[in-house]
Amino acid sequence: MFKPRNISLDRMQKVQDWDFKIYQIHAAGKRVDWGSYDEGVEGLIPQLVNREAMVACPRVGYIICHEGSTMRYLVACAWGNDNELFVEVRVFIEGEWRKSKEYSFCLYDMEVMWFERNAYVSSLYSGNPDREQYLKTSLTVTV
């Protein structure tokens, strides 16, 4: 059964010439354990942004560090090809972040994705692109 979860922006992170918003979600309402998430983020971003589709794009995205009730998820998203969202999902299994065919992002992550979609449209895809405005806009949900 759905129960709302706290969602907050933890920080911004620059990787290469990309800027990422780093969000956290925790099923128990706590802060996530950043140690393993930081390792996962560092390994995942280069795989996400080093694509041909990422040449002519605003070089922004967001990452969701989600401490679920039974699994730990890392959802990395980057905008490319004008209006496409490239997504990579990893789960923490046996002490490491793994790409998995059995797991994906969930409806809690989609709340961030919907917010970020709207922020992208209003800041970067509305005829007057403002990268800084996009980066200043973030979602906070407090339950």
Side-chain angles (χ1 to χ4, degrees), residues 4-142:
R5 295 181 180 175
N6 291 335
I7 300 172
S8 63
L9 180 72
D10 183 73
R11 66 184 182 276
M12 299 296 298
Q13 185 162 336
K14 190 168 214 46
V15 177
Q16 300 168 10
D17 56 347
W18 284 76
D19 287 297
F20 286 89
K21 302 175 189 179
I22 310 292
Y23 284 97
Q24 65 172 334
I25 303 173
H26 197 297
K30 303 175 185 175
R31 291 186 54 77
V32 301
D33 172 15
W34 287 107
S36 64
Y37 280 104
D38 286 338
E39 292 173 19
V41 167
E42 287 177 20
L44 183 55
I45 290 177
Q47 296 174 34
L48 180 64
V49 301
N50 292 330
R51 305 170 191 235
E52 286 184 38
M54 302 306 196
V55 174
C57 64
R59 298 190 178 279
V60 295
Y62 56 94
I63 296 168
I64 306 165
C65 301
H66 187 169
E67 195 86 32
S69 55
T70 59
M71 297 286 291
R72 302 172 79 198
Y73 301 88
L74 188 56
V75 182
C77 306
W79 294 103
N81 275 350
D82 192 35
N83 64 358
E84 295 178 10
L85 183 64
F86 290 83
V87 180
E88 291 281 342
V89 178
R90 300 291 185 273
V91 293
F92 198 71
I93 301 173
E94 298 176 3
E96 65 182 17
W97 291 103
R98 296 184 186 175
K99 193 170 191 170
S100 173
K101 293 180 182 178
E102 290 91 34
Y103 300 98
S104 184
F105 54 84
C106 73
L107 56 91
Y108 296 101
D109 304 316
M110 291 172 69
E111 188 166 358
V112 176
M113 295 167 115
W114 180 248
F115 176 88
E116 288 294 324
R117 176 259 182 214
N118 291 333
Y120 184 83
V121 168
S122 65
S123 301
L124 293 166
Y125 204 62
S126 61
N128 189 17
D130 187 341
R131 187 175 187 275
E132 293 308 312
Q133 179 60 37
Y134 173 78
L135 293 172
K136 289 190 298 189
T137 307
S138 65
L139 173 66
T140 299
V141 175
T142 306

